Amino acid sequence: VAQYGNTSAMNIQGSSIPARDRLLAEGLHSMCAVPLALQGRIAGVLGLLRNARDRFGEAELRLLHAAANTIAGALQNAGLYEAEQRRWQSTQALLEIATASSSNLDLQQTLRQIALQTAHACHVNRCTIFLLDQENQSIAPIMSQFADGHADQEQWQHFRQMTAESV
């Protein structure tokens, strides 16, 4: 069902599904699987089991397809809502970055805030800001900030040394 997008309704007794014996032991005899389609792709499967031995009828299948469409729509709406929430969080983070960059803080504090907010906005562990040294045609790290705000001076010194050696 998930692979081809076709509905499958069957009597469990005559099937070769992997869970056949367990389902029969639980008194379940009929099953139906309906694809949950979102924009032309299969996002999931609506699976139904019952203890009646008869197959699912046409009227039931129409109802199950309608239910699957409703569920797929709800999944799509939930996904759109989550995407909108992420966009809002990114916008908030960008606003905080802009606020930090235009504040009256000293340069190090400003860069720290920008790196911190950028790490949050991009959902990464750490953000590092490098500046180009035109004379030496190299880059040098001037600020690195963990997203959770903690500092590790030993790691920062090691990173700066490693960067200087590799350029």
Side-chain angles (χ1 to χ4, degrees):
V1 175
Q3 185 175 8
Y4 299 108
N6 299 325
T7 298
S8 176
M10 69 180 75
N11 182 299
I12 296 171
Q13 180 68 39
S15 74
S16 60
I17 61 172
R20 178 180 143 329
D21 293 338
R22 184 177 51 83
L23 293 172
L24 290 171
E26 291 178 23
L28 299 167
H29 297 281
S30 295
M31 67 177 286
C32 182
V34 181
L36 299 174
L38 284 174
Q39 299 175 340
R41 66 176 180 78
I42 305 304
V45 175
L46 173 62
L48 300 115
L49 300 163
R50 67 178 176 193
N51 55 6
R53 293 181 188 273
D54 56 326
R55 294 179 62 134
F56 287 81
E58 289 301 315
E60 291 171 308
L61 290 175
R62 281 193 302 276
L63 177 63
L64 295 176
H65 279 272
N69 289 336
T70 301
I71 292 167
L75 290 171
Q76 182 175 15
N77 288 342
L80 291 172
Y81 176 76
E82 287 177 6
E84 184 59 32
Q85 286 295 100
R86 285 190 302 274
R87 276 193 296 277
W88 182 84
Q89 290 171 345
S90 294
T91 301
Q92 280 297 114
L94 290 172
L95 177 61
E96 290 173 13
I97 292 167
T99 301
S101 66
S102 64
S103 69
N104 292 328
L105 302 173
D106 68 35
L107 180 60
Q108 283 300 107
Q109 187 62 23
T110 299
L111 292 175
R112 180 183 183 285
Q113 285 301 314
I114 290 170
L116 178 68
Q117 295 306 324
T118 302
H120 282 288
C122 296
H123 307 289
V124 297
N125 296 342
R126 181 172 58 193
C127 173
T128 302
I129 299 171
F130 297 87
L131 285 184
L132 178 64
D133 180 346
Q134 294 285 354
E135 246 180 69
N136 297 325
Q137 292 295 305
S138 62
I139 58 171
I142 60 165
M143 176 55 63
S144 190
Q145 183 59 55
F146 288 97
D148 64 6
H150 86 274
D152 186 333
Q153 289 300 322
E154 184 177 323
Q155 187 177 22
W156 171 241
Q157 292 305 321
H158 177 71
F159 178 69
R160 288 184 68 175
Q161 181 181 6
M162 181 180 69
T163 306
E165 293 170 358
S166 67
V167 180

